[in-house]
């Protein structure tokens, strides 16, 4: 009854107005699973390949009509007749149908759409929510890293660092964390407006004022935490994603917003200085994907007290993560389903991290849709942390709202990861 009978796919729009793949998987018992695929802007070099048409006449070359055709053609043929309850077998069939290491032939976007829609269809067939379908005992709600200032590739301002986030570590429930985040977000909005800054938001829903330095952003953020009635560090901590691969040029870190360049050593000193001056508990991609020596040096210096999260450097790939573990790089990993392209590979990367004592942060992409799969994955894996943007914009709040509903559904069984 849970055999895959049909696969449909279409182009829909993501939060930046670009086309992306949406897939429907229908089972023999009529169960329907649907998933939409996210898309990054500051992508890691080793990510699974997102297939784009490149036809300048359609969506400025960004069409995904070929990926849709691959999903309904060869990939559908490869999974039709397989049992949706055997996710590993479905994903293995998708991977071997494509046949390339980075899924470039048929597209990681086509493959991921089917993979996630299959998991959703299986949950529908079982009559349980997705997180419970993946783990019947799942009960941990993640600590959210809530984006409130955008820079880098996600905004048009001169700010070199891509993301400034707040983590309500003192909250007792997920809902309370969201409330605290929303309060700080609105306090920050007023403070920015009072100081004459614009209050427009960037791709992930955080504000994108004309800041030029991280200190400027961090001062506004810590002040907004205090002005909202919270103690920075105790109630609400700060997390950063400099997305350093984006400004690592010729062996040095090129801070164009500040108009200066820092050597690897100077960049590490600068990050350490920020850690001393502000209540920062986590930095993602503090070092570039190609700067493994820098990664190792920073991990040695700050890794005992600060979460150092590898995004571009690992690309959600278990082998790359294992190399990082062996080499002493980072102590946590950002997990993005579309970096690797199937649910099975995503879960295997989470396992690899767990076994090594590396923490896991489930993550959105800067280009998102109303799809909330990552909210369920955060609970299903019990990873304890999620990064899903600001508390504004429906593509971001859809995930927070999904987690609010899951917390309610779990009732007294729900546990909030907190700090
Ligand atoms: P991206 O950015 O989705 O644009 O790649 C997110 C991140 O760097 O974490
Ligand atoms: Zn990142």
């Amino acid at each position: 009854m849970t055999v895959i009978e049909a696969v449909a796919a279409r182009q829909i729009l993501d939060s930046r107005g670009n086309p992306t793949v949406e897939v429907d998987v229908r089972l023999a018992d009529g169960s329907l699973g649907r998933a939409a695929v996210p898309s990054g802007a500051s992508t890691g070099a080793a990510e699974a390949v997102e297939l784009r048409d490149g036809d300048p006449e359609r969506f400025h070359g960004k069409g995904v009509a070929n990926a849709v055709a691959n999903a309904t053609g060869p990939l559908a043929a490869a999974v039709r007749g397989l049992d949706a309850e055997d996710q590993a077998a479905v994903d293995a069939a998708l991977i071997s149908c494509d046949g390339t290491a980075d899924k470039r032939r048929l597209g990681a976007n086509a493959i991921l759409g089917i993979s996630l829609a299959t998991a959703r269809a299986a949950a529908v067939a079982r009559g349980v929510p997705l997180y419970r379908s993946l783990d019947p005992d799942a009960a941990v709600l993640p600590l959210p890293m809530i984006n409130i200032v955008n820079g880098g590739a996600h905004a048009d301002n001169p700010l070199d660092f891509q993301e400034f986030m707040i983590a309500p570590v003192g909250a007792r429930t997920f809902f309370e964390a969201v409330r605290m985040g929303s309060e700080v977000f609105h306090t920050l909005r007023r403070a920015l407006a009072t100081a004459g800054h614009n209050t427009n938001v960037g791709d992930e829903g955080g504000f994108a004022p004309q800041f030029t330095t991280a200190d400027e952003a961090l001062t506004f953020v810590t002040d907004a935490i205090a002005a909202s009635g919270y103690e920075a560090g105790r109630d609400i901590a700060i997390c950063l994603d400099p997305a350093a691969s984006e400004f690592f040029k010729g062996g040095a870190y090129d801070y164009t917003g500040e108009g200066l360049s820092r050597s690897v050593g100077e960049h590490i000193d600068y990050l350490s200085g920020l850690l001393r001056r502000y209540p920062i508990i986590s930095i993602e991609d503090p070092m570039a994907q190609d700067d493994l020596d820098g990664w190792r040096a920073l991990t040695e210096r700050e890794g005992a007290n600060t979460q150092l999260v590898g995004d571009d450097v690992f690309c959600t790939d278990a082998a790359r993560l294992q190399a990082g573990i062996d080499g002493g790089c980072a102590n946590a990993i950002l997990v993005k389903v579309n970096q690797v392209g199937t649910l099975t590979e995503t879960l295997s990367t989470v396992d690899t991290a767990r076994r090594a004592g590396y923490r896991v942060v489930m993550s959105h992409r800067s280009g998102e849709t109303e799809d909330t799969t990552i909210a369920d994955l955060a609970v299903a894996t019990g990873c304890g942390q999620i990064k899903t943007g600001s508390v504004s914009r429906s593509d971001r709040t859809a995930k927070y709202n999904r987690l609010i509903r899951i917390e309610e559904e779990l009732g007294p069984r729900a546990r909030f990861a907190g700090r």
Side-chain angles (χ1 to χ4, degrees), residues 284-418:
E284 175 187 330
D285 282 0
M287 313 304 291
Q289 58 197 344
D290 300 324
D291 183 14
L292 294 182
D293 291 339
W295 260 112
R296 211 167 290 121
L298 181 72
T299 305
E300 216 162 276
R301 178 144 145 198
E302 303 291 354
N305 300 313
T306 306
Q307 176 171 273
L308 301 171
V309 188
D311 171 11
D312 289 354
V313 69
F314 298 145
C315 288
T316 314
D317 179 82
R320 293 181 68 86
L321 170 61
Q322 191 59 54
I325 293 166
D326 297 340
C329 297
N331 55 28
I333 179 172
L334 197 77
V335 169
K336 294 166 163 170
V337 283
N338 80 323
Q339 278 185 329
V340 64
T342 63
L343 179 57
T344 302
E345 289 164 290
T346 303
L347 297 177
S348 135
T349 299
V350 170
D351 274 353
T352 302
R354 279 248 171 77
R355 279 198 302 275
Y358 273 43
R359 276 170 280 183
V360 172
V361 183
M362 197 58 61
S363 173
H364 68 162
R365 299 309 302 250
S366 52
E368 272 290 339
T369 66
E370 61 272 36
D371 186 288
T372 57
T373 304
I374 60 161
D376 282 69
L377 290 187
V379 177
T381 58
C383 67
Q385 300 179 72
I386 191 168
K387 171 173 114 156
T388 189
S390 175
V391 285
S392 78
R393 301 292 172 190
S394 301
D395 39 303
R396 312 298 144 182
T397 58
K399 282 70 161 175
Y400 292 115
N401 293 341
R402 171 70 186 141
L403 287 162
I404 288 170
R405 293 183 199 109
I406 293 176
E407 185 169 63
E408 179 187 306
E409 195 168 83
L410 286 167
R413 287 212 301 126
R415 273 199 305 118
F416 176 56

Side-chain angles (χ1 to χ4, degrees), residues 5-42:
E5 202 168 79
V7 176
R10 63 190 67 85
Q11 299 189 79
I12 63 165
L13 292 178
D14 75 10
S15 55
R16 274 192 283 251
N18 293 321
T20 190
V21 178
E22 180 174 79
V23 172
D24 297 349
V25 165
R26 193 163 45 77
L27 310 185
D29 69 354
S31 299
L32 179 77
R34 173 173 291 165
V37 175
S39 175
S42 64

Side-chain angles (χ1 to χ4, degrees), residues 36 96 98 100 126 132 154 166 171 181 184 211 228 267 298 340 410:
S96 82
D98 173 80
T100 63
R126 290 170 179 149
R132 198 172 294 163
H154 295 167
I166 51 173
V184 174
F211 290 155
S228 304
H267 174 70
L298 181 72
V340 64
L410 286 167

